[in-house]
Amino acid sequence: WRYIGYQLHIDEDLLPASFKEAYQLALIIKKRNFKKSPEGEVLTKELLEYYQSAVPANQAYLINAQVRHFLGPEIAGYLGLKPEPLKDTLTDFMSSFMELKNLLSIHPDSFEKMIANHQQIKMNLNRQGSLSKK
């Protein structure tokens, strides 16, 4: 998300520099903005119905559980997402495995590498654009 913030031209001083800072920022945002509302429940229901119709059935099977997993039980409750123990357990297991895999592959300089790659791509695109104009 730090890279996405960079892409959106958010001042780098405002972007969390570590997982700890990102976690603290998420808590502040959650406390200030997350509340139960009828509109949130309706929008969530309609979004999940759309997902159910738009993706293959074997992928749609766990969509509600995946949303609950990533939102957490408190926020999922705000949105009217009821627990489904079997699907939730399966999703939690699969997601935990993937999160561990991702954590083990993160390197401390990954953000700097993404920025360098981004700048190299921009230079290449600019070079190609100027060559095509000749």
Side-chain angles (χ1 to χ4, degrees):
W1 284 107
R2 183 174 166 82
Y3 181 65
I4 299 300
Y6 170 82
Q7 291 286 81
L8 294 170
H9 302 284
I10 294 173
D11 184 338
E12 286 192 56
D13 291 337
L14 299 175
L15 300 174
S18 67
F19 285 116
K20 182 179 180 180
E21 283 184 26
Y23 178 75
Q24 290 169 339
L25 177 60
L27 289 177
I28 292 167
I29 292 169
K30 178 181 170 185
K31 183 178 179 181
R32 183 184 316 155
N33 298 303
F34 291 19
K35 298 169 182 64
K36 187 173 181 70
S37 73
E39 297 85 359
E41 288 187 33
V42 169
L43 287 170
T44 301
K45 181 178 181 259
E46 290 178 4
L47 177 64
L48 292 174
E49 286 172 359
Y50 168 75
Y51 284 158
Q52 296 289 337
S53 69
V55 300
N58 64 333
Q59 294 174 18
Y61 180 72
L62 292 176
I63 286 177
N64 291 19
Q66 290 171 326
V67 171
R68 271 192 308 281
H69 173 81
F70 288 111
L71 292 177
E74 180 182 3
I75 305 305
Y78 292 166
L79 299 172
L81 294 173
K82 307 247 183 297
E84 297 179 72
L86 179 60
K87 290 180 182 180
D88 292 342
T89 300
L90 181 59
T91 298
D92 289 346
F93 173 77
M94 291 179 356
S95 295
S96 295
F97 175 77
M98 293 307 295
E99 288 168 13
L100 178 61
K101 180 182 165 213
N102 289 338
L103 276 175
L104 294 175
S105 66
I106 292 175
H107 300 284
D109 61 347
S110 60
F111 178 71
E112 288 78 14
K113 286 181 180 179
M114 281 191 287
I115 298 300
N117 287 338
H118 174 76
Q119 291 169 340
Q120 184 65 45
I121 290 168
K122 282 175 70 173
M123 285 180 11
N124 290 343
L125 290 173
N126 289 337
R127 194 174 313 126
Q128 288 174 358
S130 63
L131 290 177
S132 65
K133 291 179 184 177
K134 290 181 180 181

